Structures are given as C-alpha cells and as structure tokens.
C-alpha cells in the first residue's frame, strides 16, 4: 500500500535526464502554438468530460481500492465535481479568452489598452492522495482552459487512481501536450529540478516549502493548496440537529475527515458543550449505525503511516479520559471509528497539527466570542465555520477571522460554488482556483497598449525646462486652469 | 538607522498594532494615503534634492517619473478605496436557496517592501500605497545605493504616516538578509533577477507569498516606417524613453533595438539628429541626463564596451567621465549577439541596434531569450502587431511608444518568467496586498436530505440529477415518477 512500485519490466527509472527530455518535448509542442487554439482547449476539456462519464465505475473502484471511499462520495466529491468543472469551463471558455479592455487616462492620452490572457507555457501539477481523481484533474481543467501544456504527477499514496489516470489520460487526451508521470519522491524530485512556467501543488505545508524553494531557483510562480486546522464554532440557540448533521457530513462524510477543509475541531461554550456532544452522538449513530467500524459509508484510513499517526494522537497522555465517543480502532482494516474528545488541552498533540482523520476534539470557552481569539492565535486555516443565528456574532466572525474561506451555518459546501476562489492564506496556501480562478491561475494577464504617432507631449522629453515641469504638474493633477496657465506661461511659480 | 537587534521586538509591535484592528478602518487608510500625498507635495524640494544627490536627476525627470506618478497613484487610490474595500457578490446556482456568497478582501497582515535605487521614491511608495490601502502594516527597506533618498524616507515617513504601522529599516545586504528570514505575510521586492531568486527562496521558509518586480532585456522592434512624421516621433520616443529615465537604468527602459537591415542607416541618422536635439552638443552639461548610480555600475557598463568588437560597433557617443559617474548616451550598431552587452540586462545609457533580414525575424530573436518585462513595437503593420501579441510573451507589450504603460492605473504592471511574478499599480496594488476571502452564508432551513449517509442508490440518483442542475429530473425522482437506470 503506497510507496514506490517495483519495476519488473525494463522501463528505465524516471530520472532528471528523462524529466528534462519530457519538458523539452512539451516545450516544443507548446511553441508550435497547438494548445493556444480554442478548438484544442475545447477538445481536451470534452475529452476529460467523456473520460469521467465513460469510466465512472472504474473511477469509483479505484477510489475504493485506494481509500475504501463510499461510492456516493466518489460520485459527489470526485466525478460530479470534476464534470461540473469541465462543463463550466466549456461554457465560459470563449468569454474567458477574450481580452479585457482597460480604460486609459489623460497621462497616456491618446491610447487604447487591453489586458490579454495568455498561457504560461508548460506547467507541473502535483496532486494529493485524498481526492486523487478530483485534485489531479481539477487543476488540469484550469491549465488546459488557459492553453498550457502540462505534466500531472498524481500521488503514489493512491496507486490505483494514479495508474488509472495514467491509462485513461493517455487514451482520451493529446499526449503530445498532456502527460502523466507516476512515481514517488525520486520522480517528483527529478520533475522539480526542471524549469516550469508554473507549479500547482496540493498537499501539506512541509512539502509545500520544498516545492516553493525548488521553484525559486527558476523563478517559477507557484500555487500551493495546503491545509490547516479548520475550526467550527458552535453557538447556542441554533438548530443543533441540522448543525451537527452538517458538521458530520463535512467531517466524516468527507473521506472520513481526511480532507483539507474538513472541520478539524469544534469550539463551543462550556455550558453548551454537553448538548453539542449529545447531538453529535445521536446523529453519528443515525448515519453510521452502532458499529461504525463496519460501516460501508466511511472511508478507511489511507495507509498504516497515517493510522499510526492518528493512533498517537489518541494515545497522548494529555487526552486520556477526554474521549467521550468512539475511539475504537481496527489496525488490520485500517479503520478508526468517529471519535469525539471533550475539553482537550490546547497543548495536546491533537491540537498541534492538522488532524486529517476521524477524530474531533471539542474545545470549550467561557463566552462564544472568545472562540475568535482562539482561532486567530493559531495559523490561518484553509476554512473556518460558524453555526449561529446571532447576526452580530456572524458579522464579527466574517470580519475578524482570517482563513482561505468562511462558511456560516454549514461546512465544506463552498468547495462546490465555482464562482468563489478556493485557496488558502498564510500557512494554508498561496493562490486560488475553481471556475475562472483556475483559468486565471494558469494565465499571464499581459497588458497591451496601443498608441498612434499623433499627439505627443514634448514635455516628456529633454531638454528639461521649468515650463515643462509646470505643465507636467498641471497635467498630473488634471487641473484644467493650471494647464492653460502653464501653456501660456502664466503660472504662479 | 534602526537597531537591527530590536528587529523582533519591532516586528512584534507592528503585528500587535495590526491585530488591534486599527489599520482595517477605512478612515485610517485614507489618512495614510493623504499622508503620502502631503509628503509628496510639501517636501518636493527635498525629494528633488535627494534624487539629484543620489542620481543626478533633473527635477522634471524626477517629477515625471516619480513624484508626479505617485501623486496620480495616491489620488486614484483615494478615489477608488471604498469600491476596492467593498468586495463583491459571487454568483450562485439556483439550487442554492437561502444562501449568499461573496468575496471579501482582507489585509494580509505584516508586509515587507524592498525597493530599488533607480526610482527610490517611486519604487518604495507605489507598493506602500497598495499595502496601506489594503489595510496592512509595513516595513520598508529602501536601497542603500541611493543613500540620500533612503535617509529622507526614514526621516519623512514617521512624520507623515502612522509610525506604529509603517517602519523604515535602512541598510545594506546584511540588513536585507536579516529581514528576509523573518516571518512576513507578504514580501514585495523590486530589484535584480539574481536577488529575486534569493528572496523567493527565503520566503519559501515561511510559505510567504511574493511579488517580484525584476528585469530583463526589453526590446524595441522598429519597423521600416514610411511617413517622416512617424519616424520622427518613433525616434524621439525610443531615445527619450531609453536615455531619459535615469540614464537607461530602468527596468522598463528599452534595452536594445531590432530593425530591418535596409532601414538601419536611416534609423541611425535620425537617431544622431534627435540626440543632438535632446541633449545638445555636450550632453554632460545638458543637465538632462542622470548619473550612473555608483562606481561599481559604471565599471560594469564600462566593461560591456571593453570587448573590441563591441567598441568597434559604437556609432555615436562612447565617452565617459568616471569621476563624475557620467557615460555619454551611446548607440551601437550590430555588436556581436553573444557579447555580454547583448546577454545581460544593460541598465545604462548604451543602446545596441541589431539588424535583421526581415522585421518578422524579431519575433524569433525575442523568443530565444528570457521573457522580458516589456516589449515595444514601433509599427503601423497590423499583422505584425497581431503576431507580436500572440507569439511573444512579456510582462507588457506597447505599440508605438515605450515606458508609458507604467503610468496607467488600469493596467497590471509586472513581469513573467525571469522578469518577475505578480503585478501592481491601481487596483492590482490593492489586490497584491490582500487576501480575497470566500464567504458563504447559509440558512438552517432548506437542506437536501439526501446529503447525508446512510447511502443508497436512491440518494445517488438524486445527486446525479442535482449535479446536472437538472431540476425537473430531481423533482420527478422525488415524486417517484422516474426510476433508476
């Protein structure tokens, strides 16, 4: 499970030389201008759509093999979202490709100007293991829509999906411009040595730093979709049943908590906490039954590394006695039951790093307003959630909590709104995508100015004189009378 | 000079001020922008003096390229601030009932602005306008190579701006290094490509987003213009925008010219005539040419001409006065393309003209070199213009003029590839120092009950219909009028 594949065939290792050759080929393909045409972009997007539609079952099977992902989650969160992404791009592409006119002013008069989107060139997309289909292809949609050639490096920790992607993309897409490189650290390192026009990475902050440092050598711009501890603040006086359902759907309903925008921990008042715990317990049982370790509606933990990582969080002395629900584990099946921990100390291991699993700590505060300070004292997360009917609390949350994205009275659904930028801030990432933001992430917006030969202002050029200075000043401030005075040499100074 | 040992303390105080929320206030931001405006208007003479001292800049040049430009930018920011701060609504699919979505800009926090020596006020204050408009607190590190300007900024900024929010830290490369390894919410750097790499590498330690305004060799493609008026204007603009801004020491100054062989004698003659008009018989005494910033750069430029083949290609100028840090505006015709003068960014008053067989060859010539910050095309040929737009890549592309794109508030100013990443000016400055936060507000009413496990085929059907935004199908399935496949 995971790790490097043993090469039994005589296929040579993908080393720096191979990577360099690949990039060279793609650059040649890009230079031919092929990827810039609307027709090419449209054909590739249609290819992705068709690929997803025609192989839905295989995709679900691969996701099941890699993650024991329930079929419905594979459908909603991976296939359907990717298809929507393709459809939106196909619908809007012509409009996105049109240059935007820019207003020009007195200082550059007479002129006209526009902002022309152009592809960056040859881009590298490195994807993650938790939503291996979506997080590989969603950025690919953006790269193609923007007219780039690309290499996709899927995660080796989801090997079935990785090899399915390599196979299908080879069949459905233009392999002279779009390639998949499978592998682990050596292959990724070889790829990172090359000069790319953009690197788009989804994963964790530790690797994010390595990628940005590698990119710095070539001054390659990067987009880093990372993670963090996405908090859920639960106020009182709300529909607790609906709220808990939405929290559960966002946590255990999203790959069993192994999602970058899953609720990581809950904050509520000391007074309200027991009610929250009870409501969560009730709804958890409704969703997953009395024996959640057996439930087919929960993904498993991806591999033994992560299983042990999560076990350690539960074994931490600081949280002993804090488990109020769940805690059961099955190492052979790599399963951990939905687990609630109440009143966890802030310095416990489980509160130091992103959990990325089915454990939900509940922190308590005196007043609900205190929760914002708790959130702001940590790293900026990818998402933050608040359940409340209190308008004032809601607006304070929106204004003072900094995160990639905020949702009030729900969790994770903002992912599906393609008119919203999806990305982090601070430790949770750099850049954003989805919808037009994907197109923009893989484009260069080139300023183009058109001037004629008429209408030149001699004041621009040497020899410099006091009169020219006066006139320049008048022009800059747009003061009509000052301009007239300056031209006629009637200025005050 | 600030005591750099207290740097952590200083940064801690800036952050605390930021967390107090003061800088998020629209009225605070306005007051800072107005402060910059007052600084520019009230201290104009001192600014001119510093620029003359550091670079030998004439006041008209200083006003045209820095002071005036900044005044324009601050006024623009003041006019647009409310609009920029207000965020915008995002479109929602019809299925998202009782939900609102918007994108709200918020400041990043504590930002570092490192500026360059050639436009020491422009390149310090233009980014600062964006940082303050966006509600951040900032540290400004001006270039030590323009010491009078650096120290004037260090003196004036605490007087005109909120010194709990904006600090100036003066110093050289070691100070720069110390600053780079601290934790920032954004680093905005203007300077050389080499240092740009080091800045991004340092930023990666803290996953700090960066905007890098670097350089490159900005080519000017000059077509064989037929009308004499067009030729006059083209030559005036080419020479004016090469030698006038800081004696060619500007990231967007024309670096070299590409022209068709047949046209080059005409071009050279026109240029010689125009040079006399602009700079007189004795350019050194004209007062209209800035100095080379320091001995190191003068030596660097001098060595570009050391190559005998390069020296032999000089058709105008070539003289120097090392003590006055003066280099005469120099034109060269066809120096070898492998010589340093055609490989490195010149950043000085030397203008090579490279002749080509056909003007269209300029496209391949440009594309075989790193992407520049700007490309200029002097032509009336619409098809050449179209080809240049779609077949070359640069930060910006301007036809029939040069440098002027810097003054446009509505155009993004920035590079691509080795000429940089990110952009600013106008709203792009505000955006470069902001985080565009997605905010979704939902109601407790209305939920798609089939959102939640336990899963079954029925729920899957409903999802298929919903994701296809096929509302009719959704209704039919719910009413039991449609069966699964």
């Amino acid at each position: 499970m995971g790790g490097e594949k043993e090469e039994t065939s005589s296929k040579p290792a993908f080393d720096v030389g191979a990577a360099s050759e690949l990039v060279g080929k793609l650059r040649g393909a890009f230079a031919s201008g092929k990827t810039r045409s609307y027709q090419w972009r449209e054909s590739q997007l249609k290819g992705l759509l068709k690929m997803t539609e025609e192989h839905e079952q295989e995709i679900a099977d691969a996701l099941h093999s890699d993650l024991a992902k329930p079929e419905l989650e594979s459908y909603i969160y991976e296939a359907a979202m990717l298809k929507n992404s393709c459809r939106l791009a196909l619908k809007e592409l012509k409009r996105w490709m049109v240059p935007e006119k820019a207003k020009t002013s007195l200082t550059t008069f007479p002129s006209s100007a526009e902002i022309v989107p152009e592809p960056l060139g040859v881009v590298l997309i490195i994807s993650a293991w938790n939503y291996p289909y979506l997080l590989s292809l969603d950025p690919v949609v953006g790269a193609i829509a923007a007219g780039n050639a690309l290499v996709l490096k899927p995660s080796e920790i989801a090997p079935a999906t990785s090899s399915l992607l390599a196979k299908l993309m080879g069949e459905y897409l233009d392999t002279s411009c779009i390639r998949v490189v499978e592998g682990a650290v050596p292959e990724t390192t070889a790829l990172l040595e090359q000069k790319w026009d953009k690197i788009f990475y989804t994963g964790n902050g530790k690797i994010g730093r390595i990628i940005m440092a590698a990119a710095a050598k070539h001054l390659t711009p990067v987009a880093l979709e990372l993670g963090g501890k996405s908090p859920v603040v639960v106020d009182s006086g709300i529909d607790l049943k609906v709220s808990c359902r939405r929290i559960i759907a966002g946590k255990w309903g999203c790959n069993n908590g192994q999602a970058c925008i899953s609720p990581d921990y809950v904050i509520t008042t000391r007074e309200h906490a027991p009610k929250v715990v009870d409501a969560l317990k009730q709804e958890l049982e409704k969703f997953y039954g009395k024996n959640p370790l057996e439930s087919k509606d929960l993904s498993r933990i991806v591999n033994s590394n992560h299983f042990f990582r999560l076990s350690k969080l539960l074994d931490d002395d600081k949280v002993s006695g804090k488990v109020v629900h769940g805690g059961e584990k099955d190492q052979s099946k790599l399963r951990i039951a939905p687990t609630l921990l109440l009143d966890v100390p802030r310095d416990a291991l489980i509160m130091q790093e992103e959990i990325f699993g089915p454990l939900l700590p509940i922190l308590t505060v005196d007043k609900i307003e205190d929760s914002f300070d708790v959130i702001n004292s940590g790293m900026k997360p990818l998402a933050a959630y608040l359940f409340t009917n209190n308008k004032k609390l809601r607006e304070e949350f929106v204004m003072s909590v900094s995160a990639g994205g905020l949702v009030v009275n729900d969790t994770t659904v903002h992912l599906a709104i393609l008119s919203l930028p999806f990305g982090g801030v601070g430790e949770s990432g750099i850049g954003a995508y989805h919808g037009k933001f994907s197109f923009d992430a893989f484009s260069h917006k080139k300023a183009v100015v058109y001037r004629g030969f008429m209408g030149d202002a001699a004041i621009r050029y040497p020899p410099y004189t006091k009169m020219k200075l006066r006139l320049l000043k008048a022009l800059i401030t747009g003061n009509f009378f000052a301009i007239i005075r300056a031209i006629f040499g009637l200025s005050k100074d | 000079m600030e005591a750099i040992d207290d740097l952590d303390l200083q940064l801690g105080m800036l952050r605390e001020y930021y967390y107090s929320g003061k800088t998020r206030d629209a009225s605070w931001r306005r007051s800072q922008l107005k402060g910059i405006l007052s600084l520019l208007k009230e201290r104009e003479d001192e600014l001119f003096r510093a620029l003359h001292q550091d670079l030998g800049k004439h006041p008209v040049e200083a006003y045209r390229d820095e002071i005036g430009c900044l005044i324009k930018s601050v006024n623009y920011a003041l006019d647009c601030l409310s609009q920029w701060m207000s965020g915008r609504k995002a479109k929602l699919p019809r299925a998202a009932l009782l939900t609102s979505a918007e994108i709200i800009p918020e400041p990043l926090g504590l930002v570092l602005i490192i500026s360059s020596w050639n436009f020491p006020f422009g390149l310090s204050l233009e980014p600062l306008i964006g940082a303050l408009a966006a509600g951040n607190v900032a540290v400004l590190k001006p270039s030590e190579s323009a010491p009078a300007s650096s120290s004037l900024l260090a003196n004036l900024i605490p007087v005109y701006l909120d010194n709990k929010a904006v600090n100036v830290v003066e110093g050289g490369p070691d100070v720069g290094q110390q600053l780079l390894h601290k934790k920032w919410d954004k680093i905005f750097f203007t300077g050389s490509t080499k240092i740009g790499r080091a800045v991004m590498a340092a930023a990666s330690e803290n996953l700090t987003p960066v905007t890098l305004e670097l350089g490159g060799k900005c080519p000017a493609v000059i077509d064989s213009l037929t009308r004499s008026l067009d030729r006059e204007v083209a030559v005036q603009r080419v020479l004016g925008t090469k030698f006038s801004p800081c004696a060619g020491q500007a990231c967007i100054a024309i670096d070299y010219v590409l022209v068709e062989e047949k046209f080059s004698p005409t071009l050279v003659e026109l240029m010689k005539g125009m040079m006399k008009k602009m700079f007189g018989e004795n350019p050194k005494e004209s007062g209209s040419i800035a100095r080379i910033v320091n001995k190191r750069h003068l030596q660097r430029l001098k060595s570009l001409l050391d190559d005998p083949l390069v020296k032999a290609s000089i058709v105008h100028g070539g003289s120097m006065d090392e003590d006055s840090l003066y280099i005469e505006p120099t034109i060269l015709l066809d120096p070898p393309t492998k010589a340093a003068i055609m490989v490195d960014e010149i950043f000085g008053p030397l203008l090579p003209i490279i002749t080509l067989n056909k003007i269209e060859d300029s496209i391949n010539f440009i594309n075989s070199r790193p992407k520049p910050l700007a490309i200029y095309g002097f032509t009336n040929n619409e098809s050449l213009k179209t080809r240049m737009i779609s077949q070359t890549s640069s930060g910006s592309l301007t036809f029939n003029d040069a440098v002027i794109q810097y003054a446009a508030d509505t155009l993004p100013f920035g590079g691509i590839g080795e000429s940089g990443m990110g952009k600013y000016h106008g709203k792009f400055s505000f955006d470069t120092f902001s985080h565009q936060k997605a905010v979704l507000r939902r109601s407790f009413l209305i939920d798609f009950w089939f959102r939640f496990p336990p899963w079954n085929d029925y729920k899957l059907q409903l999802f298929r219909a919903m994701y296809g935004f096929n509302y009719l199908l959704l209704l039919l399935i719910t009413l039991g009028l449609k069966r699964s496949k």
Side-chain angles (χ1 to χ4, degrees):
Chain A
M1 207 146 312
E4 287 164 319
K5 290 212 298 234
E6 282 300 321
E7 297 295 333
T8 48
S9 67
S10 60
K11 204 161 96 172
F14 186 83
D15 59 6
V16 173
S20 168
E21 205 191 310
L22 175 59
V23 173
K25 284 211 183 89
L26 291 171
R27 284 211 181 279
F30 179 74
S32 76
K34 189 170 198 203
T35 62
R36 304 182 73 135
S37 75
Y38 174 78
Q39 286 71 25
W40 183 87
R41 305 183 203 195
E42 187 195 42
S43 72
Q44 299 309 292
L45 292 171
K46 282 187 170 156
L48 277 173
L49 192 54
K50 204 157 162 250
M51 180 176 113
T52 310
E53 280 168 350
E54 290 175 2
H55 295 270
E56 216 178 87
Q57 191 56 54
E58 272 179 80
I59 296 166
D61 290 343
L63 290 169
H64 195 268
S65 162
D66 285 333
L67 298 150
K69 197 171 271 206
E71 197 182 319
L72 205 137
E73 273 190 52
S74 296
Y75 181 72
I76 311 171
Y77 292 115
E78 303 230 31
M81 290 216 52
L82 197 272
K83 286 195 282 186
N84 266 356
S85 199
C86 289
R87 288 194 191 108
L88 181 69
L90 282 163
K91 180 159 161 255
E92 300 291 313
L93 186 58
K94 278 209 172 93
R95 204 167 57 86
W96 292 347
M97 286 174 70
V98 170
E100 197 190 308
K101 287 239 166 286
K103 254 175 55 176
T104 52
S105 66
L106 188 63
T107 43
T108 56
F109 182 80
S111 62
S112 69
E114 48 186 15
I115 300 171
V116 178
E118 58 177 36
L120 294 169
V122 180
V123 306
L124 172 63
I125 295 169
I126 300 176
S127 138
W129 54 260
N130 57 339
Y131 287 82
Y133 194 77
L134 179 69
L135 298 178
S136 296
L137 295 180
D138 213 354
V140 169
V141 169
I144 290 174
N148 299 278
L150 68 104
V151 168
L152 168 66
K153 156 73 187 70
S155 172
E156 70 280 12
I157 297 179
T161 311
S162 173
S163 78
L164 182 65
L165 280 166
K167 178 174 124 208
L168 292 179
M169 287 172 75
E171 287 169 19
Y172 281 81
L173 304 178
D174 179 354
T175 55
S176 72
C177 305
I178 301 175
R179 299 288 288 270
V180 178
V181 171
E182 293 194 80
V185 174
E187 288 79 5
T188 309
T189 308
L191 287 168
L192 285 175
E193 297 260 318
Q194 310 309 314
K195 179 170 160 56
W196 303 93
D197 297 302
K198 178 117 185 185
I199 298 177
F200 188 105
Y201 167 75
T202 307
N204 67 60
K206 181 162 147 264
I207 308 295
R209 282 169 167 79
I210 294 173
I211 296 203
M212 189 169 169
K217 296 203 185 91
H218 297 288
L219 286 170
T220 297
V222 300
L224 305 173
E225 295 274 327
L226 309 175
K229 293 183 78 59
S230 300
V232 190
V233 178
V234 181
D235 195 10
S236 50
I238 55 169
D239 187 333
L240 206 48
K241 200 159 81 163
V242 172
S243 306
C244 286
R245 282 193 193 148
R246 292 176 179 180
I247 293 172
I248 295 170
K251 175 81 170 185
W252 295 280
C254 282
N255 206 25
N256 206 10
Q258 300 165 104
C260 53
I261 46 169
S262 261
D264 186 278
Y265 66 102
V266 164
I267 312 178
T268 189
T269 56
R270 228 173 291 284
E271 209 196 309
H272 199 225
K275 290 208 198 83
V276 175
V277 171
D278 283 339
L280 281 170
K281 283 184 181 180
Q282 250 189 352
E283 297 304 315
L284 275 170
E285 200 180 299
K286 275 201 211 137
F287 285 17
Y288 304 115
K290 286 201 192 297
N291 223 339
L293 279 181
E294 310 289 319
S295 172
K296 287 205 171 46
D297 294 332
L298 284 169
S299 297
R300 61 152 208 267
I301 306 305
V302 68
N303 61 22
S304 40
N305 277 349
H306 282 276
F307 182 90
F308 286 123
R309 179 183 65 78
L310 290 162
S311 298
K312 246 178 67 184
L313 298 182
L314 281 177
D315 295 340
D316 181 11
D317 283 338
K318 297 207 168 89
V319 306
S320 71
K322 305 286 185 193
V323 175
V324 294
H325 182 89
E328 300 95 355
K329 298 183 269 180
D330 181 340
Q331 193 182 319
S332 64
K333 297 208 181 85
L334 291 178
R335 287 193 173 267
I336 298 178
T339 301
L340 304 175
L341 304 95
L342 179 58
D343 255 333
V344 160
R346 306 272 167 87
D347 60 348
L349 267 174
I350 203 173
M351 287 308 296
Q352 298 309 309
E353 46 172 73
E354 186 174 3
I355 296 167
F356 225 70
L359 317 175
L360 184 69
I362 299 167
L363 298 185
T364 57
V365 290
D366 285 327
K367 294 188 325 322
I368 198 65
E369 290 81 3
D370 297 341
S371 57
F372 301 161
D373 288 331
V374 172
I375 299 172
N376 286 334
S377 68
M379 307 285 183
K380 296 179 186 183
L382 191 48
Y385 308 111
L386 168 67
F387 286 87
T388 188
N389 275 321
N390 181 334
K391 194 160 168 226
K392 186 158 164 276
L393 189 72
R394 187 185 75 197
E395 292 318 308
E396 208 199 308
F397 175 73
V398 169
M399 279 304 130
S400 66
V401 172
S402 183
L406 301 179
V407 185
V408 177
N409 297 336
D410 211 328
T411 64
T412 72
V413 287
H414 60 305
L415 186 77
I417 309 291
L418 301 183
S419 55
L420 287 173
F422 184 78
V425 61
E427 287 281 334
S428 52
I430 297 177
Y433 73 130
H434 283 185
K436 181 164 194 287
F437 301 100
S438 290
F439 178 86
D440 291 344
F442 288 100
S443 298
H444 166 50
K445 300 298 179 82
K446 183 162 76 179
V448 180
V449 181
Y450 302 89
R451 291 211 66 193
F453 287 108
M454 306 294 283
D456 215 359
I459 62 172
R460 272 174 74 183
Y461 309 112
Y464 296 133
T465 62
K466 266 207 171 63
M467 199 280 233
K468 285 188 180 181
L469 181 57
R470 266 184 253 130
L471 193 50
L472 257 176
K473 284 189 181 182
L475 271 172
I476 297 276
T477 57
N479 185 330
F480 182 68
F481 292 107
I483 296 172
I484 298 292
R485 280 204 303 272
I487 292 175
F488 288 103
L490 297 171
S491 195
K492 292 183 217 146
D493 48 54
Chain B
M1 192 167 103
E2 310 282 335
I4 202 74
D5 326 283
D6 292 336
L7 187 57
D8 286 326
L9 186 63
Q10 199 179 345
L11 297 184
M13 284 169 58
L14 285 164
R15 275 203 189 282
E16 230 183 273
Y17 193 63
Y18 173 72
Y19 288 131
S20 78
K22 189 70 197 284
T23 65
R24 317 229 12 191
D25 221 22
S27 57
W28 180 88
R29 304 185 200 192
R30 252 175 235 292
S31 75
Q32 298 308 290
L33 294 174
K34 289 193 175 135
I36 295 180
L37 201 53
S38 303
L39 187 165
L40 293 167
K41 290 189 166 157
E42 291 170 15
R43 311 292 235 180
E44 193 183 88
D45 286 334
E46 288 163 78
L47 296 168
F48 285 155
R49 253 202 308 275
L51 288 170
H52 187 82
Q53 196 175 326
D54 283 334
L55 294 153
K57 275 195 199 188
H58 189 283
V60 173
E61 189 186 318
Y63 193 84
R64 181 197 66 193
D65 296 343
E66 301 201 54
I67 318 301
C69 233
L70 286 167
I71 291 176
K72 161 199 69 70
S73 297
V74 180
N75 282 327
Y76 187 75
L78 281 164
D79 280 340
C80 299
L81 188 63
S82 309
Q83 199 196 26
W84 293 349
M85 284 177 69
S86 65
R88 57 188 167 95
K89 291 233 166 285
K91 232 176 74 165
L92 285 170
R94 248 171 271 133
L97 301 162
L98 293 181
T99 303
S100 81
E102 55 177 342
I103 302 169
I104 296 179
E106 60 175 32
L108 293 169
L110 172 60
V111 308
L112 173 64
I113 296 170
I114 300 176
S115 89
S116 173
W117 51 259
N118 52 345
F119 296 90
F121 297 114
L123 299 176
S124 297
L125 298 178
E126 191 76 56
L128 188 61
I129 291 168
L132 294 172
N136 299 278
V137 295
V139 167
L140 171 62
K141 154 92 182 64
S143 171
E144 72 282 9
S145 300
S149 307
S150 173
S151 107
L152 187 59
L153 278 169
N155 290 330
L156 292 183
I157 280 183
V159 173
Y160 286 87
L161 299 180
D162 184 346
N163 64 4
K164 294 204 278 302
V166 185
N167 286 177
V168 179
V169 175
E170 293 192 84
D174 49 319
V175 168
Q177 272 298 311
Q178 278 186 63
L179 286 169
L180 281 177
H181 292 285
K182 297 298 176 192
K183 183 160 164 50
W184 305 94
D185 298 302
K186 173 104 188 190
I187 298 176
F188 187 104
F189 170 79
T190 305
S192 73
T193 300
K194 179 164 152 259
I195 309 292
R197 287 194 175 87
V199 170
M200 187 171 170
S204 71
E205 287 164 22
N206 290 306
L207 291 169
T208 301
V210 300
T211 293
L212 305 174
E213 297 274 330
L214 310 175
K217 292 180 78 62
C218 300
V221 176
I222 304 182
D223 200 2
S224 309
L225 302 163
T226 46
R227 277 207 315 245
S228 70
L229 175 68
D230 294 352
R231 290 177 183 183
E232 272 259 339
V233 172
V235 169
Q236 185 177 46
R237 288 176 181 177
V238 168
L239 297 179
T241 57
K242 165 72 178 190
F243 298 110
S244 171
C246 207
Q249 300 164 103
C251 52
I252 44 171
I254 293 175
D255 187 280
Y256 65 99
V257 163
L258 292 168
V259 71
E260 225 170 63
E261 212 181 335
K262 287 196 317 265
F263 190 59
S264 70
T266 314
L267 184 64
V268 173
E269 276 317 300
L270 283 168
M271 282 188 169
K272 287 183 175 175
M274 186 60 68
M275 293 289 262
K276 263 205 195 79
K277 242 173 81 178
M278 281 187 180
F279 303 110
E281 288 296 338
N282 196 346
K284 185 155 167 256
E285 308 300 322
S286 70
S288 293
I289 303 241
R291 263 194 350 246
I292 306 305
V293 67
N294 57 30
K295 276 208 162 49
R296 184 169 63 89
H297 278 277
L298 187 120
Q299 287 306 323
R300 177 184 64 79
L301 288 162
K302 185 159 175 259
S303 72
L304 292 180
L305 299 177
D306 279 344
D307 181 335
L309 287 173
V310 174
K311 214 189 204 96
S313 69
I314 295 177
V315 293
H316 181 96
S319 73
M320 296 186 194
D321 179 349
E322 291 188 39
D323 294 327
S324 332
L325 292 173
Y326 166 78
I327 294 181
E328 188 188 353
T330 300
I331 301 176
L332 307 94
L333 183 58
D334 275 328
T337 54
K338 288 208 163 44
I341 201 174
M342 279 309 297
V343 172
D344 304 330
E345 185 176 5
I346 295 169
F347 225 69
L350 313 174
L351 180 64
I353 299 174
I354 306 290
T355 61
L356 305 164
N357 228 324
K358 297 189 307 358
I359 199 61
E360 288 80 8
D361 295 343
S362 57
I363 292 180
N364 281 340
F365 191 96
I366 294 170
N367 285 343
S368 61
R369 289 165 170 74
K371 296 178 186 182
L373 195 45
I375 294 177
Y376 305 111
F378 289 83
T379 180
N380 286 319
N381 183 337
E382 291 304 320
S383 128
L384 179 62
K385 284 186 195 173
T386 306
R387 279 191 66 186
M388 285 182 77
I389 295 173
S390 61
Q391 291 175 16
T392 67
S393 183
S394 54
S396 66
L397 173 55
T398 301
F399 291 111
N400 301 330
D401 208 333
V403 172
I404 204 167
Q405 71 274 20
Y406 186 82
D409 299 304
T410 53
L411 292 175
F413 185 82
I416 179 83
E418 287 175 44
S419 52
M421 60 180 75
K423 48 199 186 252
Y424 73 132
H425 285 187
K427 181 169 194 284
F428 302 101
S429 289
F430 179 89
D431 289 344
T432 213
F433 288 103
S434 300
H435 165 51
Q436 302 289 345
K437 186 165 74 179
V439 179
L440 192 65
R441 294 180 180 82
R442 290 212 63 195
S443 141
F444 284 106
L445 308 171
I446 306 280
D447 221 349
F448 290 113
W449 62 272
F450 50 90
R451 255 180 91 177
F452 309 113
W455 302 133
N456 53 48
D457 276 339
Y458 182 49
K459 290 187 182 180
L460 182 56
Q461 263 190 79
L462 287 168
F463 265 113
R464 285 182 195 282
M466 194 181 91
Y467 267 90
F469 297 114
N470 191 335
Y471 300 112
L472 181 60
L473 183 59
L474 191 60
L475 183 63
L476 293 175
I477 295 174
T478 326
L479 295 176
L481 294 173
K482 200 93 162 81
R483 315 217 74 226
S484 53
K485 286 192 279 209

